[in-house]
Amino acid sequence: MRNVLRAIADHPKLKLQLVATGMHLDPAHGDTLETIRDDGWTVDRVVPWPAGSGRDPATNARNTGIATASLADAVCELKSDVVLVVGDRVEAFAAATAAHLSGIPVAHVHGGDRAAGQVDDALRHAITKLAHVHFPATRQSARRVRKLGEDAWRIHLAGSPGLDGIQSDAASRQDLAEALGELKPHRYALLLLHPADANEAVGSRRARLVLQAVGGVPYERIVIVYPNNDPGAAGILRAWETAGRARLLPSRGSLESRGSAGASPSRLERHADNRLILRRDVPRPVFLSLMRDAAVLVGNSSSGIIEAASFGTPVVDIGPRQMGRERWRNVVNVPYDAGRIRTELTRLWNRGKPRRFTSANIYGGRGTAAKIASVLAALTLDDRLIRKLIAY
């Protein structure tokens, strides 16, 4: 959303207010509140989000309710005219609920998408019904918002903000090297796995399975970015931290000498490797650069579905989390099966000549920020906007 925020801040008829909450306040995920400030933004309110949301669904629900009350206080104290939210996260749902019930118009970016997630699909469409203005990313999503009973005049096809200026926003290779060390283009795998089950033991087991499969391909490095704070995330975090301490992966020499894409558990136990790079969080320009130059993006992040196509980066999407999303041909979906994952990774590795795809993106990518700011600036904040009636 950075470019959208810039467009709002630069628009002569708009004033930007920022409310920070959720994962931005969580040290387990990088404590990125200070990153926002270091980037030059003014944070107008910080709304506490109780720790431990990733512990279980009940805690997640309870924390969402607590934060909803504080978000209502924040937007009312700031006298906000419009509350802008994106996607399907619980933070967005809490903010949309707080604003709608406070009589403040809600603008929603990326409505109409489909993604199974854990509670994502239901939350996204719930936010659509709470919102007064919609900025869907694709024509299919815009049609879906319309079918949810929203008036056509409320819907503005905008594209995905994450693609607006994506090429120029990506860090240079020199900046990437300064942040993470030397990484040769198309010689490393980028791994980003979010929970798809609230059970921590399931998340931990799946993370180990995925890492075993990735480790069975002779990438020079494996860069792991930590998951979000959905219930079940703690299991994935433990798996990554254990792997970071032990670094038990098959060495490239042992793998290549076997001439196989796989590695047995005994080999995993016997060969220590220093290929892993683990990060709780990385600045977006660095993440874009990582994705641009990776041989493959592995896991179940929406960035693999939406942003990666702009770079032609191959994606191995694992499990059901992104089920239902529109996608480009650079994405292949596989179950949580080490053999299937390794087979696809080996195919894409292509004996050390990694496959690439044409840079093309069904989610758009130009002018999104300017369009959103322009529509917001032209809104008439009246009874017609705020009073909603289902369109059929």
Side-chain angles (χ1 to χ4, degrees):
M1 291 295 286
R2 181 178 282 149
N3 288 334
V4 175
L5 300 183
R6 287 197 188 103
I8 291 171
D10 292 342
H11 199 287
K13 294 185 178 180
L14 297 173
K15 177 185 177 182
L16 178 68
Q17 298 172 328
L18 281 184
V19 178
T21 189
M23 283 175 58
H24 287 297
L25 315 183
D26 191 344
H29 295 86
D31 196 10
T32 49
L33 176 61
E34 290 311 310
T35 304
I36 297 172
R37 289 171 170 154
D38 290 345
D39 206 29
W41 301 100
T42 297
V43 178
D44 296 274
R45 287 290 187 282
V46 176
V47 172
W49 194 283
S53 289
R55 186 180 307 127
D56 56 71
T59 302
N60 196 31
R62 190 178 305 110
N63 289 351
T64 302
I66 294 169
T68 300
S70 297
L71 283 162
D73 290 339
V75 296
C76 290
E77 289 168 5
L78 290 169
K79 295 182 170 57
S80 304
D81 295 305
V82 178
V83 171
L84 179 67
V85 299
V86 59
D88 54 17
R89 301 288 303 152
V90 289
E91 298 92 340
F93 175 73
T97 301
H100 186 100
L101 293 177
S102 299
I104 302 172
V106 177
H108 183 210
V109 179
H110 259 295
D113 290 0
R114 295 195 306 169
Q118 293 200 68
V119 295
D120 304 33
D121 202 58
L123 285 186
R124 184 187 302 271
H125 305 318
I127 294 170
T128 291
K129 297 310 299 176
L130 292 168
H132 305 82
V133 185
H134 310 282
F135 297 107
T138 71
R139 293 187 185 279
Q140 188 178 112
S141 291
R143 288 194 295 269
R144 199 171 286 120
V145 171
R146 185 80 172 103
K147 287 181 177 180
L148 283 168
E150 296 300 295
D151 298 304
W153 62 267
R154 298 179 183 273
I155 304 168
H156 305 270
L157 180 62
S160 175
L163 305 181
D164 208 351
I166 190 171
Q167 301 287 347
S168 58
D169 284 350
S172 67
R173 284 173 181 162
Q174 180 179 344
D175 289 341
L176 176 60
E178 290 176 2
L180 293 172
E182 192 66 36
L183 290 169
K184 295 179 183 178
H186 308 165
R187 311 308 297 174
Y188 64 89
L190 175 59
L191 174 52
L192 180 50
L193 188 70
H194 296 305
D197 191 294
N199 188 310
E200 292 180 11
V202 171
S204 182
R205 183 173 67 251
R206 287 174 170 173
R208 294 195 304 271
L209 177 150
V210 171
L211 186 54
Q212 177 182 341
V214 177
V217 180
Y219 303 113
E220 292 182 5
R221 306 303 295 268
I222 300 169
V223 182
I224 298 176
V225 180
Y226 279 30
N228 63 24
N229 63 344
D230 281 353
I236 298 175
L237 288 171
R238 283 199 300 272
W240 293 161
E241 289 167 357
T242 299
R245 289 191 298 269
R247 300 187 186 278
L248 295 180
L249 289 170
S251 67
R252 285 182 292 149
S254 67
L255 181 66
E256 290 167 349
S257 66
R258 293 175 67 204
S260 166
S264 67
S266 60
R267 251 179 220 284
L268 287 171
E269 293 166 6
R270 285 201 297 264
H271 290 277
D273 196 343
N274 292 321
R275 290 187 291 167
L276 285 187
I277 299 174
L278 287 86
R279 291 292 183 274
R280 294 184 182 277
D281 178 71
V282 291
R284 180 165 174 79
V286 173
F287 181 74
L288 292 177
S289 181
L290 272 173
M291 185 162 43
R292 177 195 64 206
D293 291 346
V296 65
L297 171 57
V298 191
N300 58 10
S301 168
S302 61
S303 60
I305 307 297
I306 298 174
E307 284 103 329
S310 292
F311 298 121
T313 302
V315 176
V316 177
D317 177 57
I318 303 172
R321 187 178 177 90
Q322 300 301 332
M323 183 177 65
R325 277 198 191 272
E326 296 174 73
R327 58 195 63 201
W328 186 238
R329 58 174 172 263
N330 65 311
V331 180
V332 60
N333 179 261
V334 296
Y336 285 99
D337 180 286
R340 291 281 301 280
I341 297 168
R342 195 161 52 237
T343 295
E344 289 299 332
L345 291 175
T346 302
R347 179 182 66 83
L348 293 168
W349 179 244
N350 193 29
R351 297 182 182 274
K353 297 178 181 178
R355 300 179 187 274
R356 305 296 291 181
F357 291 83
T358 303
S359 299
N361 207 309
I362 58 175
Y363 286 90
R366 288 187 179 180
T368 298
K371 180 166 188 175
I372 290 175
S374 177
V375 171
L376 292 175
L379 282 180
T380 300
L381 305 179
D382 60 4
D383 201 56
R384 179 174 180 254
L385 178 67
I386 292 178
R387 285 187 181 274
K388 292 183 61 177
L389 187 66
I390 197 164
Y392 56 82

